[in-house]
């Protein structure tokens, strides 16, 4: 059955929003940077929030707002992943969960592996947790990105204590293979290390692409892994502040249970209410329509670049709505997003913020109308002269 793509809202309506995407730059700039999307919310989410407003339901978040059961059912339905609800705890956002878990499992000065090019806050979160960033970049294997498992093993053997994983990976949209995740868990377990997996982009894996939650990759992964995730990226709920920390063993569950109560108190009530609605079956059709829209746009970007910017190198992401594009052959320097913003009036994420591997690259947000994406690429191509 063909699923009709979700339709983005018109620009004049979007420009009335007050979020970062629409308030950072003047109106002549097309904003394709921060991870917000241009689609209407899922109906179930809108209705749940509207009901809360009608009731004046704006108080403190209760100990169990329904997130545990909602996510466990969602994980089973969408990922074939069995999660025990009592091994889920909430917090404000994914990066806060990452920091608090790292603080609990490393000592000050311990090295934490990241796999660049990677989500820029990873670097700051490791430092905030008292760790030291150890870079083990992704490797290119037959035209696809993959974890450098040999490099990770060397770093762990040399004393690194944790791996901060992005699964699926941001900004490349790579979905790590089950075998690679199982091997990562085996390596980490052998060296007494842990893996903290940011899985916020998991709902956005394209149909037909096998996806494995880290904790489900192997018995070793279940023993040494922590997953932090949220409905915020897929369902455009970042401002409502809610994430969950998931464990699969008694040892790791004990670590999360021992986190200070304030970690859970920081969960936003509206974020929790919206998350429960997003993870319900009532929102599945909306998510499927969103995935169809993103599939259309990731393919459209390939066509647009081939036609207008043939020097650009782009691999279609298997997950998410973020495209990692190599513009080095255009000769626009290490940070082409700066020139693109100034001269084309298109805001993209700056490649170098993702690590040294991002020099000459940009990250493009595909969560928009096809017409917006088309105009953005045409504006950028006009800079070629």
């Amino acid at each position: 059955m063909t699923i009709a793509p979700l339709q983005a809202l018109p620009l004049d309506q979007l420009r009335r929003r007050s979020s970062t995407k629409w308030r950072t730059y003047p109106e002549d700039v097309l904003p394709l940077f921060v991870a917000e999307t241009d689609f209407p919310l899922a109906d179930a989410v809108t209705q749940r929030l509207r009901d809360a407003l009608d009731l004046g339901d704006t108080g403190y978040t209760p100990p169990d707002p329904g997130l545990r059961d909602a996510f466990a059912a969602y994980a089973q339905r969408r990922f074939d992943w069995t999660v025990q609800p009592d091994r889920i705890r909430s917090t404000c956002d994914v990066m806060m969960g990452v920091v608090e878990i790292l603080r609990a499992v490393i000592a000050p000065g311990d090295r934490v592996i990241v796999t660049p090019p990677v989500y820029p806050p990873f670097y700051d979160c490791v430092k905030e947790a008292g760790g030291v960033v150890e870079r083990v970049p992704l490797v290119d294997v037959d035209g696809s990105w993959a974890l450098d498992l040999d490099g990770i093993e060397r770093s762990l053997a040399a004393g690194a204590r944790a791996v901060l994983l992005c699964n699926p990976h941001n900004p490349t949209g790579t979905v790590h293979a089950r075998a690679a995740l199982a091997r990562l868990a085996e390596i980490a377990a052998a060296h007494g290390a842990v893996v903290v997996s940011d899985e916020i982009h998991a709902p956005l894996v394209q149909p037909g692409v096998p996806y494995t939650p880290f904790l489900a990759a192997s018995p070793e992964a279940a023993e040494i892994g922590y997953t932090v995730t949220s409905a915020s990226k897929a369902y455009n709920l970042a401002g409502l502040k809610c994430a969950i920390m998931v464990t699969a063993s008694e040892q790791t569950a004990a670590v999360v249970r021992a986190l200070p109560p304030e970690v859970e108190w920081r969960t936003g009530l509206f974020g929790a209410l919206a998350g429960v609605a997003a993870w319900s079956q009532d929102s599945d059709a909306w998510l499927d329509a969103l995935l169809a829209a993103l599939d259309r746009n990731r393919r459209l970007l390939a066509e647009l670049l081939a036609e207008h910017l043939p020097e650009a190198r782009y691999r279609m992401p298997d997950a998410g709505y973020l495209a990692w594009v190599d513009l080095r052959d255009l000769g626009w320097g290490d940070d082409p997003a700066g020139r693109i913003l100034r001269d084309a009036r298109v805001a993209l994420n700056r490649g170098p913020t993702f690590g040294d591997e991002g020099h000459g690259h940009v990250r493009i947000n595909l969560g928009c109308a096809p017409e917006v994406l088309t105009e953005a690429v045409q504006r950028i191509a006009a800079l070629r002269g």
Side-chain angles (χ1 to χ4, degrees), residues 44-65:
V45 171
T46 300
Q47 188 59 54
R48 186 65 188 89
L49 295 176
R50 184 175 289 124
D51 289 346
L53 285 173
D54 288 345
L55 289 168
D57 190 7
T58 54
Y60 291 111
T61 307
D64 182 11

Side-chain angles (χ1 to χ4, degrees), residues 47-95:
Q47 188 59 54
R48 186 65 188 89
L49 295 176
R50 184 175 289 124
D51 289 346
L53 285 173
D54 288 345
L55 289 168
D57 190 7
T58 54
Y60 291 111
T61 307
D64 182 11
L67 288 165
R68 299 169 193 164
D69 288 339
F71 182 76
Y74 181 85
Q76 192 73 62
R77 191 171 70 249
R78 301 291 300 196
F79 308 140
D80 195 25
W81 176 26
T82 301
V83 175
Q84 295 184 33
D86 63 355
R87 288 184 173 163
I88 297 172
R89 193 174 183 195
S90 69
T91 190
C92 180
D93 57 39
V94 166
M95 289 299 96

Side-chain angles (χ1 to χ4, degrees), residues 12 35 40-41 48 51 69 101 114 134 150 211 224 231 259 266 281 311 332 351 356 360-361:
D12 60 346
L41 296 179
R48 186 65 188 89
D51 289 346
D69 288 339
I101 290 170
V114 301
E134 175 122 340
D150 291 339
Y211 167 69
I224 56 91
L259 294 176
R266 294 167 183 160
Q281 281 187 284
E311 300 91 343
W332 291 352
D356 292 344
H361 291 67

Side-chain angles (χ1 to χ4, degrees), residues 39-369:
F39 304 99
L41 296 179
D43 288 343
V45 171
T46 300
Q47 188 59 54
R48 186 65 188 89
L49 295 176
R50 184 175 289 124
D51 289 346
L53 285 173
D54 288 345
L55 289 168
D57 190 7
T58 54
Y60 291 111
T61 307
D64 182 11
L67 288 165
R68 299 169 193 164
D69 288 339
F71 182 76
Y74 181 85
Q76 192 73 62
R77 191 171 70 249
R78 301 291 300 196
F79 308 140
D80 195 25
W81 176 26
T82 301
V83 175
Q84 295 184 33
D86 63 355
R87 288 184 173 163
I88 297 172
R89 193 174 183 195
S90 69
T91 190
C92 180
D93 57 39
V94 166
M95 289 299 96
M96 183 173 290
V98 166
V99 168
E100 296 298 341
I101 290 170
L102 284 177
R103 277 183 178 145
V105 299
I106 66 170
D110 280 349
R111 287 176 286 128
V112 177
I113 295 168
V114 301
T115 56
V118 75
Y119 184 50
F122 273 27
Y123 301 100
D124 295 330
C125 286
V126 170
K127 294 175 185 175
E128 184 181 347
V132 176
V133 171
E134 175 122 340
R135 301 169 67 261
V136 182
L138 297 181
V139 290
D140 190 330
V141 179
D142 298 327
S144 298
W145 298 111
L147 296 169
D148 180 0
L149 294 170
D150 291 339
I152 291 172
E153 184 167 25
R154 286 192 296 269
S155 290
L156 291 173
R161 305 309 304 145
V163 179
L164 181 49
L165 179 69
C166 205
N167 176 43
H169 189 268
N170 172 11
T172 66
T174 301
V175 178
H176 301 302
R178 178 184 290 271
L181 296 175
R183 177 60 182 149
L184 173 62
E186 181 182 17
I187 294 167
H191 293 284
V194 303
V195 176
V196 182
S197 185
D198 171 358
E199 302 192 355
I200 199 169
H201 295 274
L204 297 170
V205 174
Q206 282 293 326
V209 177
Y211 167 69
T212 303
F214 179 75
L215 297 180
S218 68
E220 290 88 354
E223 288 296 319
I224 56 91
Y226 300 82
T227 288
V228 192
T229 190
S230 172
S232 63
K233 282 290 186 291
Y235 299 88
N236 207 39
L237 305 173
L240 301 185
K241 293 300 179 183
C242 177
I244 57 170
M245 301 167 287
V246 185
T247 55
S249 74
E250 184 48 43
Q251 179 178 338
T252 53
V255 170
V256 172
R257 282 197 301 267
L259 294 176
E262 191 62 31
V263 172
E264 195 159 43
W265 268 107
R266 294 167 183 160
T267 307
L269 177 59
F270 270 31
L273 298 176
V276 171
W279 288 329
S280 74
Q281 281 187 284
D282 292 340
S283 296
D284 280 359
W286 180 95
L287 179 59
D288 292 339
L290 173 65
L291 289 168
L294 300 181
D295 181 41
R296 175 189 60 193
N297 280 2
R298 67 178 183 149
R299 297 177 188 280
L300 174 62
L301 181 60
E303 297 168 4
L304 291 168
L305 293 175
E307 179 179 356
H308 299 288
L309 278 171
E311 300 91 343
R313 285 176 281 178
Y314 160 64
R315 298 171 184 174
M316 279 197 300
D318 284 330
Y321 50 81
L322 305 168
W324 188 238
V325 182
D326 183 348
L327 300 180
R328 286 176 292 180
D329 287 350
L330 285 162
W332 291 352
D334 285 346
D335 188 13
R339 180 184 179 187
I340 290 169
L341 175 60
R342 183 186 67 242
D343 298 336
R345 309 305 285 162
V346 177
L348 308 176
N349 283 105
R350 297 172 180 266
T353 64
F354 295 82
D356 292 344
E357 296 72 18
H359 287 170
H361 291 67
V362 294
R363 193 187 75 173
I364 302 176
N365 184 335
L366 302 173
C368 60

